[in-house]
Amino acid sequence: MTDYALAVDLGGTKVEAAIVDPTGSVLPGSRHRRPSGQAATSDDLARSVTEAVQDAVGALVDATRHDRVVGIGIGSAGPLVGSDGRVSPLNLPAWRGYPLGDLVASLVPDVPVVTRIDGIAITLAETWVGAAQGEHNVMGMVVSTGVGGGLLLDGRTHGGPSGNAGHIGHVQVAGHDDQCACGARGCLEAVASGPRTVAWARRNGWAGDSGEQLAESARGGDPIARAAIERSATAVGQAIASTSALLDLDVVAIGGGFSHVADDYIDIVARTVAGHSDFGFVTSTRVVASGLSGEGPLIGAAALIHHREQVG
Amino acid sequence: MTDYALAVDLGGTKVEAAIVDPTGSVLPGSRHRRPSGQAATSDDLARSVTEAVQDAVGALVDATRHDRVVGIGIGSAGPLVGSDGRVSPLNLPAWRGYPLGDLVASLVPDVPVVTRIDGIAITLAETWVGAAQGEHNVMGMVVSTGVGGGLLLDGRTHGGPSGNAGHIGHVQVAGHDDQCACGARGCLEAVASGPRTVAWARRNGWAGDSGEQLAESARGGDPIARAAIERSATAVGQAIASTSALLDLDVVAIGGGFSHVADDYIDIVARTVAGHSDFGFVTSTRVVASGLSGEGPLIGAAALIHHREQVG
């Protein structure tokens, strides 16, 4: 008999659920997706979660009658409200303090439910099946429409009392003063996200309007597109250096769509960190590309169950 | 019989030792000091440590023949080399990877020795007898010639694999680009330390040359002196906000000579954090003045023994 985890990943545009085995593999046919989104009502969101979960669990019953779900791991877009399963995702305004953990528990009774911010799930996935296997002081990061992350410190995740630790996107970057959506200025996300990098290039005379076009222009030798990409990667490196000054990280694994904007994006980040200062405990922090596939967030949510000894 | 800790605090200009009881009180007559300093040889430093420790322990034997030392706690200026007692204090060039823990252990055999960076000792002292009693997610900070700190996360100290976590002075601050002694730019220490704040005021036309004079000028209504102080406190608040975005801190306790440069210095820091962004988990971080006396670093070193369950 195999002990499976039910994994749920709640994001700003979709919710996914899947069954994940103790080796970190998604059970074939068990991954299901439903829409979420800014415009969704609370009922819409609850229905999407319910259907995705029921479809995922249905696949398990069909496929492997003698197996069982031993726990439910939920990775959610932030902010959270503590670590008891209540969520207030910034881009899902219908849910504020919504008891997502209780909803999913009602669908699959009598097993433990562990809810954490999605950055923590990604970080656990990197240490389990990704680019930070065996490491104990890790930040998993995503550079995409936003910039987010999660922390594993001394072998355990750190969510903090509100569950929201790991917001690397809202660490300030020296030499910048861009207005951030959070209300502050000079946050990494306001400098280095995909949309902000595209906007910077446009302000400096580049004519496109997407990350894909920016990547193409840079490959074609456009100096402004290239400068925009270097500006983003350098800022990411600066924020990682600040984080390592505080936390003495061993490795940072970076994924997310915009991290693929140039073949050497991760290299620029790594060089920025390696050359940042005279402090060896900062510059020795390794920066690597994420080792996760698109299943990473679900595998990470499952790690909340399969590797609960790492969950702080 | 009382279980005492031997506390040792190694700094850039002096080393101190004392005997501390389980309530966090320094045994009268047991606090002893010897010089350290940039010019000291390794033998000079070892002699100073040895004499301070022997004098401290001597006071215990004289005063309370039936008591005993149950452990040795050492707080050291950084960087450290791991957590096994080797130290490389930036301002004591004669010691690089020096086994300070082993030296002290040889003077008081057969008891455990715990060595951590001084910022961690201060943070433990704040939670034990200072301004953060009973708190679990804390940063203790010093704003002085440098800017330093230490972290307590989820009730345990976080030193990181090299022992050097907590370097808040080398977190970058948005909107600044000052060259830092560490080699990077825009670090909090390069913007907000006492000497850097005095230097900024001088560059802007103020005529004095010490923190004390800056305090006096600001009290007398000098607008440049006042602006310099506000610039320092605001930068400290910005770096605390970045730290809380990452770590979701509950409280930050600030001490150090320069934090007394104006009666409202801590208030300016606190207002900066409270108004930083729309993220409640950042802006709810409380900023308070240190609750420690000059004995704080020694009490914190003793906490490494008396509260070893908090030492990560």
Side-chain angles (χ1 to χ4, degrees):
Chain A
M1 191 156 82
T2 301
D3 289 348
Y4 287 104
L6 169 63
V8 179
D9 176 48
L10 178 64
T13 60
K14 65 183 192 300
V15 55
E16 290 197 281
I19 302 295
V20 180
D21 76 17
T23 71
S25 293
V26 172
L27 186 70
S30 76
R31 184 177 176 188
H32 291 272
R33 170 189 296 204
R34 290 290 185 288
S36 61
Q38 289 263 4
T41 66
S42 181
D43 284 349
D44 292 339
L45 294 172
R47 189 166 45 246
S48 280
V49 169
T50 300
E51 291 177 2
V53 165
Q54 287 176 337
D55 285 355
V57 173
L60 176 66
V61 172
D62 292 346
T64 59
R65 185 167 304 276
H66 298 292
D67 296 322
R68 58 175 185 170
V69 169
V70 294
I72 301 165
I74 304 175
S76 176
L80 305 189
V81 185
S83 295
D84 64 355
R86 287 172 297 150
V87 302
S88 299
L90 195 59
N91 295 313
L92 300 177
W95 276 2
R96 288 296 172 265
Y98 183 85
L100 174 61
D102 291 348
L103 169 63
V104 180
S106 74
L107 302 171
V108 185
D110 303 327
V111 295
V113 183
V114 180
T115 305
R116 292 292 185 274
I117 204 163
D118 46 12
I120 283 181
I122 287 168
T123 302
L124 285 171
E126 295 285 4
T127 64
W128 190 12
V129 301
Q133 293 179 43
E135 299 285 350
H136 289 81
N137 290 276
V138 178
M139 181 164 61
M141 254 187 104
V142 171
V143 182
S144 178
T145 311
V147 177
L151 295 167
L152 186 84
L153 302 177
D154 201 17
R156 284 171 66 85
T157 64
H158 180 69
S162 79
N164 292 302
H167 270 74
I168 176 75
H170 301 278
V171 168
Q172 291 190 332
V173 184
H176 294 282
D177 202 30
D178 307 55
Q179 179 67 50
C180 185
C182 79
R185 303 190 72 90
C187 295
L188 175 61
E189 182 168 292
V191 176
S193 75
R196 291 305 190 99
T197 303
V198 165
W200 183 89
R202 288 173 58 87
R203 282 202 305 281
N204 285 275
W206 176 73
D209 54 22
S210 73
E212 291 74 16
Q213 291 170 351
L214 195 73
E216 197 181 315
S217 290
R219 274 195 303 272
D222 183 298
I224 297 170
R226 178 64 190 176
I229 291 168
E230 291 181 356
R231 177 179 182 270
S232 167
T234 302
V236 170
Q238 288 176 262
I240 290 171
S242 285
T243 302
S244 225
L246 269 176
L247 295 175
D248 195 8
L249 296 174
D250 290 322
V251 59
V252 177
I254 304 178
F258 197 71
S259 72
H260 304 292
V261 70
D263 289 344
D264 62 349
Y265 187 91
I266 302 296
D267 292 341
I268 302 169
V269 177
R271 279 201 305 272
T272 301
V273 174
H276 182 76
S277 78
D278 300 334
F279 286 144
F281 73 97
V282 171
T283 58
S284 63
T285 305
R286 290 189 301 119
V287 175
V288 298
S290 169
L292 303 178
S293 70
E295 294 175 340
L298 287 165
I299 294 170
L304 295 168
I305 299 302
H306 287 311
H307 288 281
R308 70 188 79 180
E309 77 284 356
Q310 292 188 300
V311 181
Chain B
M1 191 157 80
T2 301
D3 288 347
Y4 287 104
L6 169 65
V8 179
D9 175 48
L10 177 65
T13 60
K14 64 181 191 303
V15 56
E16 291 197 280
I19 302 295
V20 180
D21 76 15
T23 72
S25 292
V26 171
L27 186 71
S30 75
R31 184 178 176 187
H32 292 271
R33 170 189 297 204
R34 290 291 185 286
S36 60
Q38 290 262 3
T41 66
S42 181
D43 284 350
D44 292 339
L45 294 172
R47 188 166 47 245
S48 280
V49 169
T50 299
E51 291 177 1
V53 165
Q54 287 175 337
D55 286 355
V57 174
L60 176 66
V61 172
D62 292 345
T64 59
R65 184 168 308 274
H66 299 293
D67 295 323
R68 59 174 184 170
V69 170
V70 295
I72 302 164
I74 303 175
S76 175
L80 304 189
V81 185
S83 296
D84 64 355
R86 286 173 297 149
V87 302
S88 299
L90 194 59
N91 295 312
L92 301 177
W95 276 1
R96 288 296 173 266
Y98 183 84
L100 174 61
D102 291 347
L103 169 62
V104 181
S106 73
L107 303 171
V108 186
D110 303 326
V111 296
V113 183
V114 181
T115 306
R116 291 292 184 276
I117 203 163
D118 46 11
I120 283 181
I122 287 168
T123 302
L124 285 171
E126 295 285 4
T127 65
W128 190 12
V129 301
Q133 292 178 43
E135 298 285 350
H136 289 79
N137 290 275
V138 179
M139 181 165 61
M141 246 187 108
V142 171
V143 182
S144 180
T145 310
V147 177
L151 295 167
L152 186 84
L153 302 177
D154 201 18
R156 285 171 67 84
T157 64
H158 181 69
S162 78
N164 292 302
H167 270 75
I168 177 77
H170 301 278
V171 168
Q172 291 191 331
V173 184
H176 294 281
D177 203 30
D178 308 55
Q179 179 66 50
C180 185
C182 80
R185 305 189 72 90
C187 295
L188 175 61
E189 182 168 291
V191 176
S193 74
R196 290 306 190 100
T197 303
V198 165
W200 183 90
R202 288 173 59 88
R203 282 202 306 279
N204 285 274
W206 176 73
D209 53 22
S210 75
E212 293 72 17
Q213 291 171 350
L214 194 73
E216 196 181 315
S217 291
R219 277 195 302 271
D222 184 296
I224 295 170
R226 178 65 190 174
I229 291 168
E230 292 181 355
R231 177 180 182 271
S232 167
T234 302
V236 170
Q238 288 176 261
I240 290 172
S242 284
T243 302
S244 225
L246 268 177
L247 294 176
D248 196 8
L249 296 174
D250 289 324
V251 59
V252 177
I254 305 178
F258 198 72
S259 72
H260 304 293
V261 71
D263 288 345
D264 62 349
Y265 187 91
I266 303 294
D267 292 342
I268 303 169
V269 177
R271 281 202 303 274
T272 301
V273 173
H276 183 77
S277 78
D278 300 334
F279 286 143
F281 74 96
V282 171
T283 58
S284 63
T285 306
R286 290 190 302 118
V287 175
V288 298
S290 169
L292 303 177
S293 70
E295 293 175 340
L298 286 165
I299 293 171
L304 295 169
I305 299 301
H306 287 312
H307 287 281
R308 69 188 81 179
E309 77 284 357
Q310 292 188 301
V311 181

